[in-house]
Amino acid sequence: AGYTDPVLVAATDGVGTKLRIGIATGEVDGLGIDLVAMCVNDLVCQGAEPLFFLDYFATGKLEVDKAARIVEGIAEGCVRSGCALIGGETAEMPGMYDAGDFDLAGFAVGAMERGRALPDGVSEGDVILGLASDGVHSNGYSLVRRIVDVAGLSWSDPAPFGDGPLGAALLAPTRLYVKPALAAIRAGGVHGLAHITGGGLSENLPRVLPEGLGAEIELGAWTLPPLFAWMAETGGIVPAEMLKTFNCGIGMTLVVAAARADELRALLTEAGETVFEIGRVVPGNGVTYRGSLG
């Protein structure tokens, strides 16, 4: 794989209760991308390049067409991430799952040169860049489904916040950040990355911050996507809870040297990402917010 002294890194995850929407609508094609993304986006935060992926698909009775569409999505996610789908397991377990139900788990293995692990060198004054998400991604869906119930909507109803059916909008696959993130890491100046999943910015950003340093986030640096604004209003969810539950439009963050911020922002933009400068590393602990979410 081109490494001199490699260290192997592994990650595992699932898709969560987002599967319930896919099962209810029959739209399962993007769930395989979700599965890959939730693993490889975590892997790259360690500074590692994904090498290969395996999946585990469990159901009560195998529906071949549905399973094939899911695996095609997994394969597509691997292609987009530059890793190989080398195998997997399909388990048929009658009595364990209700008719039509299934579950997914994924396992990614990557590599990096010894001594290159991230986070590394995070310092006061570092700039925090945020990469736009493609929607809710793959966490918080128990609350998402509750909000849809409160709104009295079905998955086939028009999405109140955009075009197309509500179910399809909520099934938008998790964005794959691997190739742009690796390009930024290799360019230099990246001190840490945080994949914004369950826990939102409030709980994921502190994972890359050393003791005594915190993150100050400017909420006005980006506009809250209409989907999240609708959920907040419909569910009566206060901003602090939104920021602790959902990505709120920022799916990946990079902590970078201030002197390299403009260069890295241009690199990431050229790679197809929508990039916002959302904050800085400051003395303190945890994440503090300035401005309002909206």
Side-chain angles (χ1 to χ4, degrees), residues 96 100 190 198 277 284:
M96 182 66 74
V190 176
E277 185 174 318

Side-chain angles (χ1 to χ4, degrees), residues 131-132 175-178 180-181 265 267-275:
L131 308 186
R175 189 169 183 84
L176 289 151
Y177 298 103
V178 171
R265 182 171 183 173
L267 182 154
L268 290 161
T269 300
E270 187 176 346
E273 299 301 320
T274 301
V275 189

Side-chain angles (χ1 to χ4, degrees), residues 74-152:
I74 294 170
E76 176 64 22
C78 288
V79 168
R80 294 187 196 178
S81 303
C83 66
L85 176 60
I86 65 167
E89 170 72 6
T90 300
E92 206 172 20
M93 295 186 283
M96 182 66 74
Y97 296 93
D98 290 337
D101 283 357
F102 60 87
D103 201 4
L104 294 171
F107 313 87
V109 174
M112 62 186 176
E113 291 290 357
R114 190 177 304 276
R116 300 282 182 85
L118 294 176
D120 180 48
V122 175
S123 306
E124 181 182 348
D126 280 356
V127 169
I128 302 171
L129 301 178
L131 308 186
S133 68
D134 283 343
V136 184
H137 286 183
S138 296
N139 63 274
Y141 273 85
S142 295
L143 180 54
V144 170
R145 292 184 297 115
R146 177 60 180 153
I147 291 168
V148 172
D149 286 342
V150 167

